Amino acid sequence: MDLGKELGIEGASPLLSSNVEDYSNDPILEKIWAMKAMKYAETHMKLLEARDAKELKLTKYDDNMYKEFQEQFKDLKIDIITPVDIKSDEAKVKWRKFCSQYDKLIVDYNFATLMRIDSSKDYSDENTIIVPRIQFLAIEVVRNRLGFNSVHYNN
């Protein structure tokens, strides 16, 4: 797949396959990431609006992810996530352990992904945080199973 071509940025593919250290804070790469992240977020909302989230399967690992999440994060308030829940030093240690078990299983498991803070609301500047894709998937799998995302289908 030619990501640059897919996102309408011709000639970006050589940048994506180059040494990442040569392009830190490269505006073209940031634009590509932002476009890909927004496309992913838009697709996610369309899925939530198209059918009851309790029926959605985001990965073939959803069952295991849900079980592991419930064991490791049983006290985490999942409907509304705060940055502290994800980014505090204590949280980072727990999340790193959880996420690392999926590094060979989930494609782009560490790709920066937009996630809604409040599951009852749509993506917006105020309701979005950037997390690794595996963290997004785990939280959204739990939100789906517990019915927090079903509000979007019912509206």
Side-chain angles (χ1 to χ4, degrees), residues 64-79:
N64 186 61
M65 209 178 290
Y66 179 78
K67 179 180 174 279
E68 290 291 323
F69 187 96
Q70 292 297 71
E71 289 173 5
Q72 295 181 40
F73 299 98
K74 57 182 161 242
D75 297 327
L76 183 62
K77 186 175 186 278
I78 201 71
D79 58 334

Side-chain angles (χ1 to χ4, degrees), residues 61-62 64-73 91-103 105-106 109 133-139 141-142:
Y61 306 105
D62 285 11
N64 186 61
M65 209 178 290
Y66 179 78
K67 179 180 174 279
E68 290 291 323
F69 187 96
Q70 292 297 71
E71 289 173 5
Q72 295 181 40
F73 299 98
K92 284 181 183 179
V93 171
K94 286 179 77 172
W95 278 108
R96 192 172 298 116
K97 180 182 173 195
F98 177 88
C99 294
S100 67
Q101 60 189 325
Y102 295 96
D103 70 343
L105 302 174
I106 302 291
Y109 92 105
R133 175 161 290 149
I134 186 58
Q135 207 168 31
F136 163 85
L137 289 169
I139 290 168
V141 163
V142 175

